[in-house]
Amino acid sequence: MTCPSIVNGPSIVNGIGWGTLGENFFGVAECRVPCKWRVCEGRVLQGTDDPRNFLRRRLLDPARRIGSMAFASLQSILERAGLASRDQFVSWSDNWRKLAAAGDVEPQLAFFAKEGGMSEEQFLQRLATALGWPFLETSQLTVSNEVRKRVSTKTAFQFAVLPAGIENGVLQLACHNPFDPAMQAAVQFDCQSPVKFGLATRGEIEKALKKYYGVGAETLDEMGAEETIDLELTDDREITEDDQDASVIKFVNQVIWEAFKDRATDIHFEPSEDDLRIRYRIDGILHQTPLPPQIKRYQAALVSRIKVMSGMNIAEKRLPQDGRINVRIKGEEIDIRVSTVPTVWGESVSLRLLTRGKIFFGLEKLGFWPDEDAAIRELIVKPHGIFLVTGPTGSGKSTTLYAFLSTINSVTKRIMTIEEPVEYELKGINQIPVRPDIGLTFAVGLRHILRQDPNIIMVGEIRDLETAEIAIRASLTGHLVFSTLHTNDAPSAFTRLIDMGIEPFLVASSLEAVMAQRLVRTICKSCSRPHPVERDYLLKIGFPESEIASTVFRKGVGCEECRQLGYQGRTGIHELLLVTEAIRPLVMNRAAASTIAQAARDQHMRTLREDGWRKVQIGQTTLEEVLRVTQNEEHVRSLIGGDKGVVA
Ligand SMILES: [Zn+2]
């Protein structure tokens, strides 16, 4: 039995398919349909035999046939090419991995080149010679539209690969690291046909990409330098994929459309001396959007267009402005808050995309464990008291407060809020936006709200003594108050309020609970895979020893669903501190945050990081995510001096 598709060369690169095993890289023929991963070296494996097992067995028979790349590890390739000895490979790999884990994004081979005292170009040229592959001068290439379309913009930019030409139906692709399995998978997914690799440096590929790809590359191509740009705002603000409006209008629409499609929450237009950068925030992380180099020329026109759309004064360029745009995209109402700030290189513009109507704020969506959920439901129906949510900007505090309000919203309760800004409109709730320009601050608004006889008040943020005092007075006079505070952890909230100048007994008697929170990205469900982690590392980062054996650590390997990021969506991690009779006397006596933290842990409070570990254990998120959002926030742990393990 032979696999029919192998004959036609399914997803075959340079004559052979590809696979990886741990750090090593192998040639293996991958049969796409109908028996994915069953053909190795032209042989059909038995039934469900995993090719990786096959490769594992082949490991015993060390690398051979470097020319055709069959079953050669990266290490042996580099060794044979005279680019790295075995020892060098091991130590360079180690160093590179450490840097990569710390967030350094230097490509692996570029790093190796540097370690070997070579330029990336020299290194890749020698590698190309050893492999018998071409080294491509991407600046000399002319890439036709037909060729360009074989690889999506996303794949091209994410992995820095450039389709260079088609020869006998085989796509030639310039890449700087042919050993990247995620890149191979993405390329194969895009072009669904045989591919032949050539090497080029990342820098050169990126230059070419800017020329041939990029958001609005074609749109900008169409814009002649002399063309007068019509900035009339049309009444119809519907944005569709093929909006017929020309030039700048089309470009801006395209940027908003792309952002919407990628579930971005923010778009930033950031000018610099010789460039204009556009970045999207997706699941809390900024992603730079590829743009053609001529974008800078249209900076003024683009900014003007956005200002017109959002009802700002286009003549005013020296002062910050706020505005909003309401658009409909595919029938969905999008409310866009726009703000401009003058920088030395022109106005920087930020757009915040808020989906209207469809938002449902439910407690069950926030990622609470059953015990937390029960405690919170009890807290938010109390007749009075203060419930604070703490965390840095972007930790989802407002969403949590909205969920609280939505849960208790009823005709028998009068709920009023003062916010900066009102992010979502909640039906049946009186929401007041802060307007410092006309003197309507949190404190002033709050004072007036109290005269309006509310039952429940939400104050966007307590950031000064005056607001804190009024909030406390409100809670002591029979109002339930929700608010946020900028502290890293829950126990520090008490000291923060006392430091602001509030009497400790007032803090102790008014606060009912403090919850610190962060958002972690959740692993993409479509590409989540087990991902073993070394025990030493786990112990070093404080993962509970008793849970290591029973935990299957997971990771998203990247797929089309998640833009190859491995993550999709976010969930909360929480540190819920209930102000019980054990805590109140400590607050009253100005106890240190560490003492309060210890008492809270005695009553089963989980720290942010511990809560994060639990979400790692159930496969929702990764260790890296938990570390990322809690890296500077180990306060509780450090305060109480050492790792006490998980308090279950
Ligand atoms: Zn995925």
Side-chain angles (χ1 to χ4, degrees):
M1 177 188 163
T2 48
C3 172
S5 49
I6 189 77
V7 178
N8 301 322
S11 59
I12 297 291
V13 177
N14 295 13
I16 191 128
W18 300 70
T20 55
L21 179 60
E23 281 299 296
N24 293 323
F25 155 76
F26 300 91
V28 54
E30 177 194 345
C31 164
R32 186 175 294 283
V33 269
C35 56
K36 185 169 161 60
W37 282 122
R38 285 202 202 149
V39 183
C40 282
E41 214 184 28
R43 240 161 38 90
V44 178
L45 299 178
Q46 290 300 310
T48 56
D49 196 1
D50 185 328
R52 283 167 298 182
N53 291 332
F54 178 78
L55 289 170
R56 240 168 245 137
R57 290 197 295 273
R58 291 308 293 254
L59 261 182
L60 301 172
D61 177 16
R64 351 164 252 159
R65 288 191 307 173
I66 188 167
S68 69
M69 293 297 305
F71 308 109
S73 68
L74 175 55
Q75 185 243 311
S76 74
I77 293 167
L78 296 184
E79 196 177 333
R80 284 171 193 224
L83 289 166
S85 70
R86 182 178 295 258
D87 291 345
Q88 280 174 324
F89 180 84
V90 171
S91 101
W92 295 352
S93 296
D94 267 6
N95 293 342
W96 179 74
R97 264 202 310 276
K98 274 182 207 138
L99 287 172
D104 195 285
V105 292
E106 186 167 21
Q108 188 182 15
L109 295 185
F111 179 80
F112 280 17
K114 209 172 65 189
E115 294 289 296
M118 260 177 269
S119 70
E120 190 189 358
E121 189 174 346
Q122 286 169 326
F123 186 92
L124 291 178
Q125 267 172 349
R126 279 175 64 177
L127 181 62
T129 310
L131 294 167
W133 295 0
F135 183 84
L136 299 167
E137 295 284 345
T138 52
S139 58
Q140 307 296 316
L141 296 169
T142 309
V143 178
S144 72
N145 262 347
E146 188 214 342
V147 170
R148 189 187 69 183
K149 281 180 184 153
R150 298 289 284 272
V151 173
S152 70
T153 310
K154 255 180 222 163
T155 302
F157 275 92
Q158 184 171 355
F159 299 104
V161 293
L162 175 77
I166 297 177
E167 225 177 286
N168 301 327
V170 178
L171 181 73
Q172 184 159 67
L173 194 78
C175 66
H176 65 92
N177 181 3
F179 311 115
D180 176 358
M183 179 276 287
Q184 295 160 15
V187 166
Q188 289 177 359
F189 184 90
D190 280 356
C191 53
Q192 307 277 336
S193 66
V195 174
K196 191 168 158 51
F197 281 160
L199 300 182
T201 63
R202 187 184 180 115
E204 286 301 314
I205 294 174
E206 281 176 345
K207 261 189 232 160
L209 287 179
K210 277 206 167 190
K211 192 160 132 197
Y212 293 114
Y213 282 90
V215 169
E218 283 171 74
T219 312
L220 287 186
D221 290 345
E222 288 162 16
M223 291 154 96
E226 302 86 43
E227 187 187 348
T228 50
I229 292 156
D230 178 16
L231 282 174
E232 211 76 49
L233 183 61
T234 53
D235 286 327
D236 182 14
R237 289 178 179 180
E238 173 97 11
I239 294 178
T240 57
E241 200 160 5
D242 48 9
D243 200 305
Q244 292 308 301
D245 280 346
S247 57
V248 169
I249 295 179
K250 185 171 165 191
F251 181 84
V252 171
N253 288 357
Q254 210 172 329
V255 169
I256 296 174
W257 163 257
E258 287 273 329
F260 170 80
K261 240 180 21 189
D262 287 340
R263 303 174 298 112
T265 50
D266 300 84
I267 310 171
H268 302 289
F269 290 76
E270 302 161 306
S272 60
E273 184 174 11
D274 48 12
D275 199 10
L276 174 69
R277 174 160 86 157
I278 299 184
R279 294 197 290 175
Y280 293 161
R281 189 178 290 282
I282 302 166
D283 289 338
I285 306 283
L286 283 172
H287 296 276
Q288 181 150 358
T289 299
L291 291 171
Q294 66 267 43
I295 184 77
K296 181 72 180 171
R297 262 163 53 200
Y298 301 100
Q299 178 180 324
L302 294 173
V303 171
S304 295
R305 166 66 188 165
I306 296 168
K307 286 164 85 175
V308 168
M309 285 173 88
S310 51
M312 293 181 192
N313 175 1
I314 56 165
E316 179 55 78
K317 296 188 166 91
R318 298 155 308 166
L319 290 173
Q321 294 189 64
D322 291 314
R324 59 201 280 180
I325 309 171
N326 292 312
V327 290
R328 249 184 354 266
I329 302 180
K330 289 211 159 167
E332 196 167 329
E333 292 267 338
I334 309 287
D335 189 7
I336 304 174
R337 303 293 159 82
V338 187
S339 81
T340 64
V341 183
T343 73
V344 283
W345 306 118
E347 286 169 288
S348 168
V349 184
S350 291
L351 285 75
R352 164 156 281 208
L353 279 64
L354 304 168
T355 317
R356 291 204 310 184
K358 277 192 185 166
I359 295 285
F360 169 70
F361 294 101
L363 273 187
E364 57 279 12
K365 299 226 164 159
L366 301 183
F368 291 119
W369 299 99
D371 60 334
E372 289 166 341
D373 187 86
I376 286 167
R377 283 180 198 277
E378 214 170 283
L379 282 165
I380 60 179
V381 295
K382 290 204 180 231
H384 54 80
I386 299 182
F387 189 161
L388 290 178
V389 181
T390 79
T393 307
S395 55
K397 299 190 295 282
S398 327
T399 307
T400 299
L401 291 184
Y402 281 137
F404 290 172
L405 295 181
S406 302
T407 307
I408 52 178
N409 191 7
S410 80
V411 288
T412 61
K413 285 187 176 135
R414 181 160 160 81
I415 304 178
M416 298 190 77
T417 74
I418 175 126
E419 305 170 56
E420 183 184 28
V422 172
E423 284 184 42
Y424 294 99
E425 286 151 26
L426 300 178
K427 210 169 174 192
I429 294 181
N430 302 284
Q431 295 170 279
I432 305 162
V434 163
R435 292 279 304 276
D437 52 328
I438 54 167
L440 180 54
T441 59
F442 278 122
V444 169
L446 188 51
R447 196 171 289 131
H448 286 272
I449 285 177
L450 282 175
R451 294 183 195 142
Q452 295 246 329
D453 182 35
N455 301 99
I456 294 146
I457 303 165
M458 191 259 265
V459 186
E461 188 187 339
I462 294 179
R463 59 168 87 124
D464 54 51
L465 174 62
E466 199 183 1
T467 311
E469 276 177 340
I470 308 170
I472 284 178
R473 199 188 321 139
S475 82
L476 294 176
T477 54
H479 303 88
L480 182 60
V481 180
F482 296 116
S483 190
T484 71
L485 200 61
H486 261 271
T487 63
N488 284 327
D489 54 59
S492 303
F494 305 102
T495 28
R496 172 64 55 83
L497 289 171
I498 293 169
D499 288 347
M500 275 183 189
I502 307 280
E503 287 298 329
F505 77 94
L506 288 176
V507 177
S509 48
S510 59
L511 258 60
E512 291 294 333
V514 183
M515 183 173 75
Q517 79 169 45
R518 299 288 187 278
L519 294 174
V520 289
R521 290 185 289 168
T522 47
I523 299 173
C524 170
K525 288 197 174 70
S526 313
C527 61
S528 170
R529 303 276 184 278
H531 179 73
V533 183
E534 282 180 20
R535 188 182 164 82
D536 286 352
Y537 175 71
L538 290 166
L539 294 176
K540 203 178 96 196
I541 60 173
F543 192 87
E545 192 172 0
S546 56
E547 307 293 336
I548 294 178
S550 60
T551 303
V552 178
F553 296 92
R554 303 187 75 88
K555 185 178 176 170
V557 293
C559 68
E560 195 65 7
E561 292 281 303
C562 59
R563 294 165 51 101
Q564 308 298 337
L565 297 172
Y567 294 100
Q568 208 174 18
R570 287 187 289 179
T571 191
I573 57 174
H574 308 97
E575 177 177 300
L576 178 61
L577 196 167
L578 303 175
V579 186
T580 58
E581 293 319 309
I583 303 286
R584 284 191 211 283
L586 297 175
V587 177
M588 204 121 65
N589 294 321
R590 296 174 185 265
S594 55
T595 314
I596 298 174
Q598 186 58 66
R601 285 171 63 96
D602 289 345
Q603 61 182 26
H604 306 316
M605 178 186 82
R606 282 184 294 272
T607 65
L608 280 171
R609 197 169 269 194
E610 286 162 357
D611 197 34
W613 295 154
R614 289 190 31 159
K615 292 200 161 126
V616 168
Q617 284 175 263
I618 59 168
Q620 262 190 356
T621 190
T622 61
L623 294 166
E624 290 73 29
E625 272 300 285
V626 175
L627 291 173
R628 178 177 69 84
V629 300
T630 60
Q631 58 189 349
N632 300 318
E633 288 86 25
E634 277 197 282
H635 293 203
V636 174
R637 187 178 296 274
S638 60
L639 284 174
I640 59 173
D643 182 3
K644 299 270 167 123
V646 158
V647 181

